[in-house]
Amino acid sequence: MSADLSDLNAFLAVARAGGFRDGARAAGASASGLSDAVRRLEARLGVRLLHRTTRSVVPTEAGRRLLERLGPALGEVEAALDAVNSFRDRPAGTLRLNVPVSASRLVLPRLVPPFLAAYPEIRLEVIAEDGFVDVLAAGCDAGIRYDERLEADMIAVSIGPRVQRYATAASPDYLRRHGRPEHPRDLLHHACLRGRFASGAMTVWEFEREGEVVRVDPTGPLLVSVGGATDLAVEAAVAGTGIIILFEDWLRPHLDSRALEPVLEPWWQAFSGPFLYYPGRRLVPAPLRAFIDFIKDAAR
């Protein structure tokens, strides 16, 4: 019994994503096209592979068995095909990266245009989200994360600035009306603009000065989802709604224009910059190898 490779890839994309729409987004295809491919595969195999409801798509027992064997097998096929890239003058193919929104805004803009100019036969796909995901399960070749969220079996390569800081800021109007906090605990008496991760966890406001670490849990009039709605919080801070804490580089244009003023700057906490990470247990695809070499050269 044989099956078309594209139909197998379609099933894999839908099963991993948990739906035809998300699977289509990950695979760069149409949802209707994936649906037709899965139906062809089920008809050829004579067994239902996916339970479909209006709310979700989940593998059947047969689908789970196929998924367990299919992922590694197709990975080997991709690796075998990618080996041909070594005989080309330039690497070609698709590179898929899963990155936090902060990296898509603060790190990649300096790297992506020159990288794509240097490798015109590589197609780069960037999925920006702040939830923690398995890059392989998401169909990506690599991701960008900070060291506290790296998995043990991953290879990590520095990308972007090696040291970053969290900056606290407010508009001149807000500070005129409410005063300037002198200690992190003063923030408990101020309007603070908070963020919440997709997991439901709230962002921690942490400060450090001369070895002393202070964590506070302030309240305020605005709560936004981290990443997708962060710019709304920034604009609210500029408008005088409250105090914000965010990557210094994200706030830097507003600090330089004086639309925002630094708050508690001696307490701004520094942390190590992000890493590009990828599985060490599989052959590195040629587009990813080219990107790794490119960011290493850029760092030099």
Side-chain angles (χ1 to χ4, degrees), residues 3-4 6 38 44 50 54 65-66 104 127 150 163 165-166 169 199 204 221 284 289-290 294 296:
D4 187 273
S6 62
V38 172
R44 183 166 297 174
L50 297 172
T54 56
R65 292 285 184 88
L66 179 61
S104 70
I127 298 95
L150 291 176
V163 177
R165 292 196 301 176
Y166 285 118
S199 65
V204 177
V284 178
R289 171 53 59 193
F294 183 85
K296 286 181 176 178

Side-chain angles (χ1 to χ4, degrees), residues 24-69:
R25 188 179 299 115
S30 69
S32 60
L34 291 187
S35 180
D36 291 342
V38 172
R39 286 197 189 94
R40 282 196 304 270
L41 182 61
E42 289 177 328
R44 183 166 297 174
L45 297 177
V47 63
R48 180 175 289 277
L49 299 173
L50 297 172
H51 290 302
R52 303 164 177 84
T53 70
T54 56
R55 293 180 176 271
S56 65
V57 175
V58 296
T60 63
E61 178 62 27
R64 285 195 296 272
R65 292 285 184 88
L66 179 61
L67 188 61
E68 290 171 1
R69 303 288 295 272

Side-chain angles (χ1 to χ4, degrees), residues 176-194:
R176 275 195 303 269
R177 289 184 288 115
H178 299 282
R180 181 182 294 274
E182 301 296 334
H183 189 278
R185 293 191 185 91
D186 294 342
L187 294 171
L188 298 175
H189 307 291
H190 281 267
C192 295
L193 312 178
R194 301 296 304 273

